[in-house]
Amino acid sequence: MDGKANGAAERFLAGPLGVRDADVAVVRESSSGDEYVLVRGGECDDVPVRLGSPT
């Protein structure tokens, strides 16, 4: 993703996760280039429910 897309994804996810935009970051792993979403201040068990995934 480029910087604008990362920012949009971070803002999009912050609302349903109940955290501030600044607490969500798309990060790239240097060795593989894979991207992950880092969320600060949330509960891991809540993520699927908050995003509407079945548990």
Side-chain angles (χ1 to χ4, degrees), residues 3-15:
K4 289 182 183 179
N6 286 353
E10 293 162 0
R11 288 187 300 278
F12 175 79
L13 292 170

Side-chain angles (χ1 to χ4, degrees), residues 39-55:
V39 180
R40 295 179 195 92
E43 294 292 328
C44 291
D45 294 339
D46 292 344
V47 171
V49 173
R50 289 181 176 262
L51 295 179
S53 297
T55 56

Side-chain angles (χ1 to χ4, degrees), residues 1-49:
M1 290 183 153
D2 64 21
K4 289 182 183 179
N6 286 353
E10 293 162 0
R11 288 187 300 278
F12 175 79
L13 292 170
L17 293 175
V19 298
R20 299 175 306 140
D21 293 357
D23 291 330
V24 180
V26 176
V27 294
R28 181 184 300 264
E29 186 178 285
S30 60
S31 60
S32 69
D34 291 342
E35 291 186 324
Y36 300 91
V37 176
L38 172 67
V39 180
R40 295 179 195 92
E43 294 292 328
C44 291
D45 294 339
D46 292 344
V47 171
V49 173

